[in-house]
Amino acid sequence: EVQLVESGGGLVQPGGSLRLSCAASGFTFSSYAMSWVRQAPGKGLEWVSVIDSGGSTSYADSVKGRFAISRDNANNTLYLQINSLKPEDTAVYYCAKPEAGTLYAYDYWGQGTQVTVSS
């Protein structure tokens, strides 16, 4: 059974940092691209970042230069380092696994971790 479990969210002041984690199990983690997707209050899903199986990364323009995605294949864990946080980064952050052979056709999602940026 595929499981994705996020952690690391919290309340942080503007300009602060957090590191989100996503513990994966039930599939060959190293073989899949993995993404972070967020949902701000009252808004739709917004793709944030992807890292492919080879370690290549891509980011949404809204987070480029402030967020860094990484993975630890030995421990089946996906990370998102988020720096220089802004109030508009407030959202539930999800990690997502795509269908085999795709980058963005997600078939599994975690439960999400809340990030709140406020003074």
Side-chain angles (χ1 to χ4, degrees):
E1 178 189 5
V2 172
Q3 287 193 320
L4 300 170
V5 180
E6 300 96 334
S7 61
L11 174 63
V12 63
Q13 293 186 341
S17 298
L18 285 173
R19 189 174 82 154
L20 309 184
S21 300
C22 171
S25 61
F27 64 104
T28 307
F29 177 76
S30 60
S31 297
Y32 286 82
M34 294 293 295
S35 289
W36 287 98
V37 179
R38 68 184 180 183
Q39 186 168 29
K43 297 190 176 181
L45 293 170
E46 177 189 17
W47 173 80
V48 172
S49 182
V50 65
I51 183 167
D52 70 13
S53 57
S56 295
T57 60
S58 184
Y59 299 91
D61 287 344
S62 58
V63 307
K64 201 172 293 183
R66 299 188 298 120
F67 289 18
I69 191 171
S70 61
R71 64 193 302 160
D72 179 351
N73 289 334
N75 290 297
N76 293 342
T77 304
L78 179 72
Y79 298 103
L80 187 68
Q81 178 69 41
I82 48 180
N83 301 320
S84 303
L85 278 159
K86 305 176 182 180
E88 52 264 43
D89 295 317
T90 294
V92 178
Y93 285 71
Y94 300 92
C95 63
K97 170 196 167 295
E99 295 175 2
T102 74
L103 280 179
Y104 303 114
Y106 305 121
D107 56 2
Y108 287 94
W109 299 75
Q111 85 288 350
T113 187
Q114 176 71 50
V115 172
T116 302
V117 185
S118 174
S119 55

